Amino acid sequence: MKEVSKRTGTDQENIFIRKMEIEDLDQILPIAVSTPFNPWTRHMFLGEMANPFSHTFIMNKKESSVEFNSPVGFICFRHIEEESELLNLAIHSSMRHKGYGKKLMNFYLEFCNQNGVKKYYLEVHPLNSPAIALYVSCGFRVVGKRVKFYQGGYDALLMERQ
């Protein structure tokens, strides 16, 4: 597989997206549990990392040749042939609303496009308006709902992009 790291940003800011390793989980879990909607556990990450159809990536910020001490965010998705499902995307609470989620989404769409994906799906909590706005800005639209999808029995919006 070719190199998956990607550098973006200005001269003062470089973002690196790389494949997530098991050693990253101690830094990823605080980001995952800081999200109010369906936080992932270590077990969930390990399951996705072991799944041959899953892809897990971590975003790090590098400033003046020093890597940011904790990851900026992460993304997890699956793709089988021409379809992909975004499973999880989260940004460190101190780094939200700065465009990092959009950078991860652009990485995801580019990665999948290069691998022949033509149809994308995701579920999102209806109260997660920042995520919904991000997904809509990336061409997703609401096509239905999944009843009692989240723990505690909350419904999820089903979104799709073609």
Side-chain angles (χ1 to χ4, degrees), residues 78-142:
R78 293 181 187 162
H79 87 74
I80 301 173
E81 297 181 12
E82 294 185 348
E83 294 187 354
S84 178
E85 181 180 12
L86 177 61
L87 302 172
N88 200 345
L89 181 153
I91 302 297
H92 191 282
S93 60
S94 69
M95 306 298 275
R96 291 182 186 149
H97 308 291
K98 297 180 181 180
Y100 295 113
K102 182 77 167 189
K103 288 179 192 286
L104 272 177
M105 282 299 293
N106 288 337
F107 170 82
Y108 164 60
L109 295 170
E110 182 180 317
F111 180 95
C112 289
N113 185 51
Q114 290 175 359
N115 287 283
V117 171
K118 302 206 182 328
K119 201 168 201 178
Y120 302 81
Y121 297 97
L122 62 85
E123 291 89 10
V124 61
H125 196 292
L127 297 179
N128 193 347
S129 54
I132 294 168
L134 171 64
Y135 302 143
V136 167
S137 78
C138 292
F140 284 82
R141 62 186 179 89
V142 175

Side-chain angles (χ1 to χ4, degrees), residues 20 25 28 40 44-46 48-49 53-58 73-79 84-90 104 108 121-122:
M20 188 184 300
L25 290 179
I28 289 294
W40 275 25
M44 293 168 83
F45 278 105
L46 291 172
E48 289 309 315
M49 294 170 88
F53 298 109
S54 290
H55 303 276
T56 55
F57 290 94
I58 184 172
F74 65 85
I75 189 165
C76 303
F77 57 93
R78 293 181 187 162
H79 87 74
S84 178
E85 181 180 12
L86 177 61
L87 302 172
N88 200 345
L89 181 153
L104 272 177
Y108 164 60
Y121 297 97
L122 62 85

